[in-house]
Amino acid sequence: MKSKEKIVVIMGATGSGKSALSVDLALHFKAEIINSDKMQFYDGLKITTNQSTMDERRGVPHHLLGELDPEEGEVTAAKFRNMAAHAIAGITHRKKLPILAGGSNSYIHALLAKSYHDQGNYPFSKNGTICSELNYDCCFIWIDVAQPVLFEYLSLRLEKMMKTGMFEEIAEFHRTKKAPKEPVAVGIWKAIGVQEFDDYLKTYKWDNDKENWDPVRQEAFKKAVRAIKENTFQLTKDQIKKIRKLRTAGWEIRKVDATATFREAIRAAKERDRGDEMQRMIWNREVVEPCVGIVKRHLEQQINKNKRMRLM
């Protein structure tokens, strides 16, 4: 009987460091990364969707990241299953380790579940069922951050994103792209930030001279930013709820606490201290080193099993 292909799956709420950890592990284990964040499939809105920059990827090959035309529309879970399975096959053929990283847990379930059906069973609905039989030999890692700390970090991150061009990026996207003719938003048009600024951009022509905006316009802008924060917070709650449901259904998901790193990031931001060296030290100690151990033990299981088979 052919053994299942081994893959590593990095899970967690938005902003919890999945992309960074996947690169750290890829460099350690000679791996390639497959994106499973459905807003990051598209070539566009790189700031808004928090796509890893080329520098942040550190030479590690990434798949399904920024590859699709924004006007292509919705990528169904079934389509993702096919695309990601093809990427995994290519990576394993190159004798590399596939690492799946992203926060779209329904897509992760679609890829990994043995008996997945695109229609009729949304696994995370009230009456939905989780399939515990998996297509791959998975090593699951959940990066967890205490909710109050994560929320504070996400608020600061949004402020930074706005300063580095998020609003301008969304305004240009609205100006140059045509939304698919659907009754509800689809594809990248569902990205947090795009819809929240929709009414604002329909009311006001774009200009970035915020100091000369009238009070009504300023309040409309602030309202959109508040909505982005609130919807981001709700997204993290939904993501964690889904991970817990997968765990309850029997998925062996190992949790690693990254709270200390994010507390340091918040302190550094408030004190205007880059704090990169301290953050990296805490991240390596509290997150990377434990995760390297988890993945190493997972990979060694198959090696030991093969040795026993040869001795029989």
Side-chain angles (χ1 to χ4, degrees):
M1 181 178 177
K2 184 181 178 181
S3 60
K4 294 180 180 179
E5 296 164 321
K6 285 185 175 289
I7 70 170
V8 175
V9 184
I10 310 297
M11 311 174 79
T14 188
S16 60
K18 298 181 294 295
S19 297
L21 177 60
S22 66
V23 171
D24 286 328
L25 293 178
L27 291 171
H28 190 93
F29 291 102
K30 295 182 180 179
E32 297 183 20
I33 296 168
I34 303 168
N35 166 54
S36 60
D37 183 321
K38 59 187 176 183
M39 292 299 106
Q40 294 185 359
F41 295 152
Y42 303 92
D43 179 18
L45 296 177
K46 288 179 169 42
I47 299 171
T48 304
T49 63
N50 284 289
Q51 286 188 31
S52 298
T53 64
M54 295 307 295
D55 286 344
E56 290 168 338
R57 299 179 201 182
R58 289 186 275 169
V60 175
H62 282 62
H63 304 268
L64 308 186
L65 182 63
E67 295 181 2
L68 302 182
D69 189 305
E71 296 183 10
E72 188 162 325
E74 191 79 5
V75 174
T76 65
K79 183 175 180 179
F80 171 74
R81 177 182 171 106
N82 291 334
M83 292 190 304
H86 179 74
I88 290 171
I91 294 168
T92 55
H93 179 74
R94 291 187 289 277
K95 308 297 183 184
K96 299 288 186 68
L97 174 68
I99 297 179
L100 187 69
S104 299
N105 296 301
S106 58
Y107 283 51
I108 292 173
H109 180 270
L111 169 66
L112 303 181
K114 194 80 173 178
S115 58
Y116 169 77
H117 301 286
D118 192 33
Q119 303 295 329
N121 173 40
Y122 178 66
F124 300 104
S125 65
K126 184 177 180 180
N127 297 318
T129 57
I130 302 294
C131 176
S132 57
E133 186 179 0
L134 305 180
N135 289 316
Y136 304 96
D137 184 3
C138 301
C139 175
F140 293 103
I141 296 174
W142 167 16
I143 312 178
D144 190 37
V145 182
Q147 189 178 89
V149 175
L150 181 60
F151 282 8
E152 185 174 4
Y153 171 79
L154 289 172
S155 293
L156 293 170
R157 187 181 75 160
L158 177 59
E159 292 173 10
K160 182 179 179 181
M161 290 164 64
M162 295 298 290
K163 289 177 181 177
T164 54
M166 176 178 172
F167 170 66
E168 290 79 5
E169 179 182 70
I170 292 171
E172 180 67 9
F173 184 79
H174 273 270
R175 189 182 70 81
T176 60
K177 302 296 182 182
K178 291 183 178 180
K181 294 181 179 180
E182 302 284 347
V184 295
V186 297
I188 199 171
W189 289 89
K190 293 191 292 187
I192 293 178
V194 176
Q195 291 302 303
E196 289 82 354
F197 272 120
D198 186 54
D199 288 340
Y200 174 88
L201 290 167
K202 287 177 180 176
T203 304
Y204 300 100
K205 291 183 179 179
W206 181 86
D207 87 72
N208 208 23
D209 188 14
K210 296 184 177 70
E211 292 184 0
N212 291 321
W213 288 356
D214 64 70
V216 175
R217 180 171 184 172
Q218 289 181 10
E219 180 53 35
F221 186 87
K222 291 176 182 177
K223 181 181 178 181
V225 174
R226 287 196 298 270
I228 291 171
K229 285 188 179 183
E230 291 167 3
N231 290 335
T232 301
F233 295 163
Q234 185 59 51
L235 172 63
T236 68
K237 294 176 184 177
D238 293 342
Q239 289 169 322
I240 297 305
K241 185 177 180 181
K242 289 174 182 176
I243 292 172
R244 287 179 174 148
K245 184 168 184 178
L246 293 171
R247 268 184 136 193
T248 301
W251 289 31
E252 296 181 10
I253 303 174
R254 298 283 300 273
K255 182 163 69 172
V256 176
D257 190 351
T259 302
T261 300
F262 286 81
R263 282 203 181 102
E264 172 59 22
I266 292 167
R267 181 207 64 76
K270 288 182 174 179
E271 297 179 9
R272 297 185 178 181
D273 167 19
R274 284 178 60 84
D276 292 348
E277 187 174 337
M278 179 61 71
Q279 286 179 51
R280 171 53 65 175
M281 184 185 74
I282 297 172
W283 174 258
N284 286 338
R285 184 187 68 220
E286 301 290 331
V287 180
V288 178
E289 291 176 11
C291 290
V292 166
I294 291 169
V295 175
K296 187 176 180 181
R297 288 189 292 273
H298 183 78
L299 297 177
E300 287 174 347
Q301 287 176 0
Q302 186 63 47
I303 294 173
N304 293 333
K305 182 178 178 181
N306 290 341
K307 287 181 179 177
R308 289 195 297 270
M309 292 292 290
R310 286 196 295 269
L311 293 173
M312 290 176 65

